[in-house]
Amino acid sequence: MTLEELKLKLGPDLLPWAEKYGPTILTMGAADLMAFIELALKGDQAAAYAAVLAKMPAGDLLAEWDNAHADWGAANKANALRIATQKEALAAVVSILLKIVTAALGLAVLL
Amino acid sequence: MRLRLAVLMFGLILVGAGCSGLQARGPMVATIDEKAAIADVQIIVLDKGEMTEEQARQALAENAATFQLYREAKTLNLFAYLFSDKTILVNATYSQLLDRTSILAATTLAISPSQDGIWVKATAKKQARVVLDVKAAKDGKESAP
């Protein structure tokens, strides 16, 4: 099977994944594919991923580091955004509490 | 009762606010920072073409050990983080990323002896960026491009 034939069998959401991992998967023999399926169904994701990486050509393995960096980048962007949102929410709460405390102390006129 | 509830809620907000999805404690904080500082230097040296093939191969071995260390130190469990030898607290996303990166580094190291110097140096640079990604995660910052 060619990569193009494989892509025809997949939905559009899987096409980027097929581009990345399809060439390697297509080079794997039946025994390797069965071993991968077994590991994946067992829930041993780490071993399943390692099984595919072990069959990856050196050039694709190099590209996999770019994929990893991109995924770390996406996670870090979401993480930074979540932290910023949390800080804003906390600042809003503290601001309200500050108004109440200063009002209680008769300092509201200063704010 | 209401006051206690308000204090509790406020405390929870304080605890949760500004916490990264990847946190480290104790010596692991310094370790992540030190590994990132080394990665910074490696990228500069590689860009200048001043790293030898032998040094790049050494970098691959050290990076594989670093990612393995991070993987073994991580936990999703707050109590394990606070009361065991686990020194990195992660959410599910970072847990998977640390697993994946460690496996990738080990596989890369395993095939590296059969690869030439150009491949080894290119890989060392790409790995160094991911070492920096881990520090960015700990610091709650975005990754460098």
Side-chain angles (χ1 to χ4, degrees):
Chain A
M1 180 184 287
T2 66
L3 180 60
E4 291 309 313
E5 288 169 337
L6 174 65
K7 283 158 73 175
L8 286 174
K9 294 186 172 188
L10 301 171
D13 54 325
L14 290 178
L15 293 183
W17 293 88
E19 290 284 352
K20 287 178 188 173
Y21 300 107
T24 299
I25 289 170
L26 289 172
T27 63
M28 291 168 72
D32 291 330
L33 291 172
M34 286 309 294
F36 169 79
I37 290 169
E38 193 175 325
L39 290 167
L41 292 179
K42 246 178 21 181
D44 192 347
Q45 286 92 352
Y49 178 61
V52 173
L53 285 187
K55 298 295 174 184
M56 208 173 254
D60 289 355
L61 205 56
L62 195 57
E64 183 64 3
W65 279 102
D66 287 330
N67 298 332
H69 176 55
D71 290 344
W72 272 98
N76 285 348
K77 188 173 185 176
N79 189 44
L81 180 64
R82 188 180 56 78
I83 291 169
T85 306
Q86 284 177 340
K87 283 183 177 171
E88 283 175 18
L90 178 61
V93 171
V94 170
S95 170
I96 291 166
L97 290 176
L98 185 62
K99 285 177 183 169
I100 295 169
V101 169
T102 52
L105 293 173
L107 300 171
V109 70
L110 297 178
L111 293 174
Chain B
M1 185 66 186
R2 282 182 184 170
L3 180 63
R4 282 182 185 173
L5 187 61
V7 169
L8 178 64
M9 291 300 292
F10 189 61
L12 287 174
I13 292 169
L14 279 173
V15 167
C19 286
S20 174
L22 187 154
Q23 297 176 58
R25 67 172 176 83
M28 185 56 77
V29 177
T31 299
I32 292 173
D33 289 344
E34 284 165 14
K35 299 294 183 189
I38 292 169
D40 259 333
V41 173
Q42 285 176 339
I43 289 172
I44 292 168
V45 174
L46 281 161
D47 283 344
K48 287 182 178 175
E50 293 175 352
M51 185 179 281
T52 65
E53 182 179 330
E54 191 56 39
Q55 287 171 328
R57 291 187 186 281
Q58 182 66 27
L60 294 193
E62 287 169 3
N63 288 338
T66 296
F67 290 126
Q68 180 66 19
L69 172 74
Y70 292 163
R71 187 183 185 196
E72 288 174 358
K74 78 170 166 69
T75 178
L76 288 147
N77 184 314
L78 178 61
F79 288 98
Y81 175 65
L82 294 175
F83 303 114
S84 77
D85 59 350
K86 299 294 183 184
T87 51
I88 299 178
L89 179 66
V90 289
N91 62 22
T93 300
Y94 283 124
S95 179
Q96 289 179 3
L97 281 170
L98 285 176
D99 283 343
R100 175 184 172 189
T101 306
S102 174
I103 294 164
L104 182 56
T107 307
T108 301
L109 181 63
I111 73 153
S112 64
S114 61
Q115 303 304 311
D116 63 19
I118 294 171
W119 185 92
V120 171
K121 289 177 185 178
T123 306
K125 183 174 177 181
K126 291 176 189 294
Q127 285 188 349
R129 291 187 308 175
V130 180
V131 173
L132 294 175
D133 287 334
V134 177
K135 174 176 167 49
K138 172 184 74 68
D139 295 341
K141 295 180 177 171
E142 290 193 31
S143 294

